[in-house]
Amino acid sequence: MIKKETTIKNKEGFHIRPAQIFSNAASKFESDVVVLNKDGNSTNGKSTLGLMALGFETGSKIILEISGKDEIEAGNELINIIDNKFGED
């Protein structure tokens, strides 16, 4: 299992579009993707609604716990998506 952490940087936070982009990307991988917020609440990273329910806003810390045979590739891609503001701006 790998654990990665970053900060939400896009202006609108984790609204429907970023949540869909993230969950679609996570779904491409066999690895399990668990997303946690600062309060320790978690959801399946492949669930758009679950991601939106965590309430990530601009500046929120986001933690990814990824386990499986393609965990490194999944972690790198998912962090890259977040750090590139989901293609916004």
Side-chain angles (χ1 to χ4, degrees):
M1 180 179 81
I2 62 168
K3 186 173 183 177
K4 294 195 172 252
E5 184 176 311
T6 192
T7 303
I8 301 296
K9 298 169 181 72
N10 61 314
K11 282 199 298 192
E12 301 298 325
F14 226 69
H15 56 87
I16 185 74
R17 184 181 164 277
Q20 286 177 325
I21 289 169
F22 186 95
S23 64
N24 288 343
S27 294
K28 295 187 315 185
F29 297 98
E30 287 184 35
S31 293
D32 293 326
V33 178
V34 176
V35 178
L36 298 96
N37 65 11
K38 65 178 173 63
D39 298 324
N41 298 318
S42 65
T43 193
N44 181 339
K46 298 177 183 182
S47 167
T48 302
L49 292 177
L51 291 166
M52 291 176 57
L54 289 180
F56 292 113
E57 298 176 348
T58 303
S60 296
K61 181 171 86 170
I62 182 170
I63 302 163
L64 310 180
E65 292 181 349
I66 306 166
S67 57
K69 72 178 197 174
D70 54 2
E71 63 191 25
I72 293 172
E73 296 85 359
N76 290 339
E77 182 169 332
L78 296 172
I79 289 293
N80 188 48
I81 288 169
I82 297 166
D83 287 347
N84 285 310
K85 302 178 185 179
F86 307 94
E88 296 178 5
D89 296 336

